[in-house]
Amino acid sequence: MEIRVRFAPSPTGPLHIGGARSALFNYLWARKNKGTFIVRSEDTDLERSSRESEHNILESLRWLNIQWNEGIEVGGEHGPYRQTDRLELYREYTNKLLNSGHAYYCYCTEEELEQERQDLIAKGGTPRYQGKCRQLTSEQRAAYEAGGRKPVVRFRVPEGQAIHIKDQVRGDVVFESDGIGDYVIVKSDGIPTYNFAVVVDDATMNITHVIRGEEHLSNTPRQVLIYQALGLPVPEFAHISLILNTEGGKMSKRDGDTAVMDYQKKGYLPEAIVNFIALLGWAPSGEEEFYTLDELAEAFSLDRVSKSPAVFDIQKLNYINAHYLREAPPERIAELALPYVQELGILPQGEQSVEQQQWCLGFIKAISEKISYVAELKDFIHYFHGAIPLEAESEAVEVLKGEQVPVVLGLFREKVREADLLSEATVKVLLKQITKELKLGGKLVYMPVRVALTGQMHGPELYDVIPLLGRENVLKRLEVTEKRYLT
């Protein structure tokens, strides 16, 4: 049997981390089994769906390098792959259910349904539709329609049936049909509901495994009943756990960005996001933390997907991303950094000169060990650019009160002016010369120079800072510091 899986987002907003994980698990399962991964669009929420959102979701998948074999923008023999293009197919299956007696027209108004719900609640019962329109005659239907009522189509839920679902993550799950009530499968405007359309789509696309979030588990018995009524094979199900924040609550914006593209905009690397979300609810057999997409596809299995909720820990994501930043070629990170540097007004928009490209590359090399994602470079730019150092805090001001400081800074200025070139190598030599000539320990030289140039006692290496600042800015910063603290 060919494994066929799908990811079917509703294009009502960006791709979120939970959706990306579902897409990834389906993709990995297909690759692991040499199967087919399909992407389609559940766009029947006409008011909220948009092609812009659909495009953004697809671009997010492509950025993560989650490629699909069949579906939107790729094509295939089971299309179309948007639900709004499949309405005729849904009508065909609706008629099958109506003709077989597994579905019927319901003319109840919202007010009548609400009254029924309230009456059931008052009696301590479970709110559900009790089948008022199950046995309508043709005359009753005609009377309702003459009165202007537009019917929905409801599925006739069998009574007293235990619905068994063999879930590859959760084991055997049983639902009682008597607690469901007849549910709507086609709305009064002719648009199918999710539970109906998804069955038709999965059946006609020969989906063998439905891997999706735990929030869909309660929908599954309704879908299984439709499969059975239509005489269609039921796919295997695997419901993966919820993603919670570190306090055990539902993920929200305050826990960090929830949309995949937000992480792209901050300069996270796609391979880091993939590595991180793969470990949200899936445990590899070994102790390895870092996986390429190929390695994930080789290692992935549904039997190692946990029933327990996964925890989204931004610190873990930053740790993983920092690893990939250090492993990546500096040229790649410098290219990603360019928009942030331009945004700060440090480099011009448009094409960069060779000198500007080299400056950006040197900047990234200097801070690559200190950032977790590229946008964090903004926290370090003050070390490397501009003529004015930060105001020194009290502890740093104390450093500048050392009796040797005027002589150290004077000799440092002199050597900076005399140097033919300020490079990492020449700066190292220059600073060592000062310690030797003044017969001072390294700390008594390096610390005053650092504070004078940056206003801080800690930060990137001086031999990285000084060449990137350049001779003119170094001399101006010395002048500013001396006026602030030494006069």
Side-chain angles (χ1 to χ4, degrees), residues 236-352:
E236 298 274 352
F237 291 99
H239 289 91
I240 54 184
S241 62
L242 297 174
I243 300 175
L244 304 179
N245 61 25
T246 49
E247 283 87 44
K250 188 177 180 182
M251 274 281 292
S252 67
K253 289 290 284 185
R254 69 180 181 83
D255 303 304
D257 295 301
T258 54
V260 169
M261 295 308 271
D262 290 336
Y263 290 96
Q264 182 188 25
K265 289 172 185 172
K266 284 189 171 182
Y268 285 82
L269 300 182
E271 56 267 41
I273 298 291
V274 164
N275 196 147
F276 174 70
I277 63 176
L279 300 175
L280 288 176
W282 171 73
S285 56
E287 298 298 317
E288 182 59 50
E289 291 181 286
F290 304 108
Y291 290 85
T292 67
L293 204 48
D294 288 343
E295 289 166 345
L296 285 171
E298 180 68 27
F300 185 77
S301 63
L302 288 173
D303 60 6
R304 299 195 68 85
V305 174
S306 173
K307 298 178 189 177
S308 303
V311 176
F312 184 97
D313 183 350
I314 190 68
Q315 299 305 322
K316 179 67 178 291
L317 172 57
N318 287 343
Y319 164 74
I320 290 174
N321 198 68
H323 166 82
Y324 283 100
L325 285 176
R326 291 191 295 271
E327 293 290 310
E331 291 79 8
R332 178 188 174 195
I333 308 306
E335 187 176 341
L336 293 174
L338 186 58
Y340 304 98
V341 178
Q342 290 173 328
E343 182 187 323
L344 294 167
I346 292 164
L347 292 179
Q349 301 290 330
E351 193 171 342
Q352 311 300 308

Side-chain angles (χ1 to χ4, degrees), residues 265-266 337-346 363-364 367 371 373-384 390:
K265 289 172 185 172
K266 284 189 171 182
L338 186 58
Y340 304 98
V341 178
Q342 290 173 328
E343 182 187 323
L344 294 167
I346 292 164
F363 173 48
I364 290 302
I367 65 168
I371 59 174
Y373 52 93
V374 179
E376 278 190 322
L377 65 81
K378 295 178 182 180
D379 298 334
F380 293 89
I381 200 74
H382 63 86
Y383 288 107
F384 302 93
L390 294 178

Side-chain angles (χ1 to χ4, degrees), residues 160-176:
Q161 182 173 326
I163 306 160
H164 290 265
I165 295 159
K166 187 178 180 182
D167 193 284
Q168 294 206 20
V169 173
R170 305 189 173 275
D172 290 329
V173 185
V174 182
F175 294 88
E176 299 298 331

Side-chain angles (χ1 to χ4, degrees), residues 430-485:
L430 178 155
L431 291 170
K432 283 183 179 178
Q433 285 175 343
I434 295 174
T435 62
K436 198 169 185 179
E437 290 176 26
L438 297 180
K439 296 183 172 59
L440 292 171
K443 187 174 181 180
L444 293 174
V445 171
Y446 287 69
M447 191 60 75
V449 171
R450 175 179 293 283
V451 173
L453 294 182
T454 70
Q456 296 181 296
M457 295 175 63
H458 307 283
E461 298 289 353
L462 282 174
Y463 50 74
D464 287 326
V465 170
I466 292 168
L468 291 171
L469 270 177
R471 192 191 318 268
E472 185 178 342
N473 282 335
V474 166
L475 295 175
K476 283 182 179 177
R477 286 192 177 202
L478 285 174
E479 183 182 340
V480 169
T481 296
E482 288 171 339
K483 284 181 179 178
R484 280 177 178 171
Y485 308 110

Side-chain angles (χ1 to χ4, degrees), residues 365-421:
K365 286 180 177 178
I367 65 168
S368 61
E369 296 284 333
K370 302 181 182 300
I371 59 174
S372 298
Y373 52 93
V374 179
E376 278 190 322
L377 65 81
K378 295 178 182 180
D379 298 334
F380 293 89
I381 200 74
H382 63 86
Y383 288 107
F384 302 93
H385 184 267
I388 311 296
L390 294 178
E391 291 274 358
E393 294 182 356
S394 56
E395 193 178 354
V397 172
E398 288 299 312
V399 169
L400 296 175
K401 291 181 179 178
E403 61 180 6
Q404 89 288 5
V405 169
V407 177
V408 168
L409 295 185
L411 186 54
F412 175 67
R413 176 190 289 106
E414 183 182 320
K415 290 191 176 294
V416 167
R417 283 177 173 156
E418 292 173 353
D420 292 331
L421 174 71

